[in-house]
Amino acid sequence: MGPTRALKEYHRRRDFSRTTEPKGGAAAAAPGEPPSFVVQIHDATAMHFDFRLEVDGVLRSWAVPKGPSADPQDKRLAMPTEDHPLEYRDFEGVIAPGEYGAGTVIVWDEGTYRNLSEDRRGQEVPFAEALDGGHASFWLEGRKLHGGYALTRIRGDGSDREAWLLVKRADGRARAADGGTGGGTDPHRARSARTGRTLRQVADDAHTGRAGTAGSGNGRGHGHGHANGEAA
């Protein structure tokens, strides 16, 4: 499935004359570069983290209510959402009231990942194929998230009730009980990996007409300097 077809549901849900979210189509995977990931905090009807992985020209996406954990004992529920365009990894701002997903978004973490998925013979399984099969393992190199993780489908198979678990692998980057919410930080106090702003500050900036996005245009999260909110 090409990116245009994969984004059909994303486009159907949005009025781009009202939302500042990217329509997509401008960004492309950089040749020779590792695929990217982004984790955004989304203060919508229910606060949650959006976990997105670059796969086949789009961002495969899951809503993770409690956020990723660095503790292998924590099994985080991850509910799949529609694919998003690659440009969405740069999005930081406010989705207008009345629009799908209305609320404030910040880029909480970003970076690159590599595929660790293997079959029973120890042979690498292409990442998209691993996801389609319901289990994918990968190594994150982010500003806050590091090491091995796995996504495993626990319910459904392409249905509206599909559910997954996001779990940290037991490796040298694992940490015991971090208290949840993506590193133990209250999402309301967490700071953007891009701009160092909180959700409240992004909302205030949008209200006063200041910048609504954090992207530099290239969308490669690992290429940006660290913001002052790194530890959040």
Side-chain angles (χ1 to χ4, degrees):
M1 182 184 296
T4 301
R5 184 179 173 190
L7 294 175
K8 183 177 180 180
E9 183 64 15
Y10 174 85
H11 290 147
R12 185 187 70 81
R13 295 184 176 193
R14 290 163 174 83
D15 179 352
F16 292 102
S17 69
R18 287 179 44 82
T19 183
T20 58
E21 297 167 284
K23 190 172 184 179
E33 290 284 343
S36 63
F37 82 92
V38 65
V39 182
Q40 288 155 313
I41 299 179
H42 189 177
D43 187 10
T45 303
M47 180 80 74
H48 64 277
F49 291 68
D50 286 313
F51 185 79
R52 311 189 196 279
L53 297 167
E54 178 184 341
V55 184
D56 290 346
V58 297
L59 294 174
R60 296 279 293 267
S61 300
W62 294 260
V64 184
K66 293 185 177 181
S69 173
D71 185 350
Q73 298 302 313
D74 290 337
K75 295 177 173 59
R76 301 297 201 206
L77 179 66
M79 303 299 291
T81 65
E82 75 278 11
D83 295 342
H84 283 52
L86 294 182
E87 292 92 337
Y88 213 94
R89 59 195 167 192
D90 294 325
F91 180 72
E92 186 167 282
V94 177
I95 302 171
E99 285 300 295
Y100 177 74
T104 308
V105 176
I106 63 170
V107 175
W108 180 77
D109 194 20
E110 59 181 352
T112 62
Y113 76 92
R114 55 186 171 87
N115 183 21
L116 298 179
S117 304
E118 296 180 344
D119 62 20
R120 294 180 180 179
R121 299 185 302 274
Q123 300 298 309
E124 181 175 333
V125 177
F127 198 71
E129 181 180 324
L131 285 174
D132 290 344
H135 180 76
S137 296
F138 47 95
W139 185 277
L140 297 180
E141 287 292 352
R143 302 188 186 197
K144 301 168 185 176
L145 298 177
H146 304 277
Y149 282 81
L151 275 164
T152 303
R153 187 167 54 223
I154 59 172
R155 185 180 69 212
D157 186 2
S159 69
D160 289 340
R161 295 183 58 80
E162 186 174 315
W164 295 62
L165 290 178
L166 175 63
V167 181
K168 178 76 182 74
R169 295 178 61 165
D171 56 33
R173 308 310 296 265
R175 299 196 309 272
D178 67 5
T181 59
T185 300
D186 180 347
H188 291 287
R189 297 177 58 199
R191 291 185 177 273
S192 166
R194 288 286 186 94
T195 64
R197 297 183 296 173
T198 64
L199 287 164
R200 174 87 176 262
Q201 288 170 329
V202 170
D204 288 346
D205 286 351
H207 180 71
T208 57
R210 290 195 286 268
T213 57
S216 66
N218 64 9
R220 308 303 299 182
H222 59 291
H224 299 273
H226 289 195
N228 60 9
E230 165 125 7

